Amino acid sequence: MAGRPAQEDWHDVGSVEELSKATIQQVMVGSVRVALSYKDGVFGAIHGACNHAGGPLGKGSLDGDYVVCPWHQWKFHRIEGQGERGFEEDVVPAYHVRIVAGRVEVSAKPHK
C-alpha cells in the first residue's frame, strides 16, 4: 500500500529452547545463510558468509562478542556486523532478531 513504511520480512528459524543450546550456528533465512549467535540470553544474526573469502561464519566460533570465521579468523560483531577493533570497516550485513511465542524470528532485511 502506498505511503506505508516497508515491513520487515520475518522468518521463523526455530525454537528458543533448541537454538539457545549453541553459541553459534548456521540457519537459513529464506535463501540466505545467516550466522545466528547466542550469548548472555541475547541472539544476534549476521550474514553467514565472511566478506574475506566467503567462509561459513555460522560454523565458526565466538570470541567475546565477535563471530570468528573458521577459515582465516576474521572477526565480526555478532549483532552489528562490523569488524573487530582496528578493522571496523570490514562489515557483513546484520539482521534484527526477535522472539515470538518461544520462537526465534530473523528479519530477511539487513539493518546494517
Side-chain angles (χ1 to χ4, degrees):
M1 192 179 262
R4 296 186 69 186
Q7 297 293 317
E8 294 202 51
D9 182 13
W10 294 99
H11 292 259
D12 183 319
V13 295
S15 73
V16 170
E17 181 180 354
E18 285 300 313
L19 295 174
S20 63
K21 292 178 181 178
T23 57
I24 185 79
Q25 60 199 299
Q26 180 176 289
V27 298
M28 295 301 292
V29 176
S31 61
V32 177
R33 232 180 357 161
V34 170
L36 183 73
S37 59
Y38 183 75
K39 182 182 174 202
D40 299 330
V42 177
F43 285 98
I46 60 174
H47 197 274
C50 178
N51 64 6
H52 170 232
L57 293 177
K59 295 183 180 195
S61 60
L62 276 186
D63 180 10
D65 280 327
Y66 290 86
V67 174
V68 182
C69 180
W71 288 3
H72 302 105
Q73 287 66 57
W74 282 39
K75 297 179 183 181
F76 302 93
H77 193 273
R78 69 184 200 87
I79 295 174
E80 299 300 325
Q82 78 271 13
E84 66 182 316
R85 189 173 182 172
F87 298 92
E88 294 90 352
E89 69 281 357
D90 294 327
V91 178
V92 293
Y95 304 87
H96 287 125
V97 180
R98 70 181 184 184
I99 308 299
V100 177
R103 306 290 296 176
V104 178
E105 294 184 349
V106 178
S107 174
K109 178 183 172 191
H111 69 85
K112 288 212 173 194

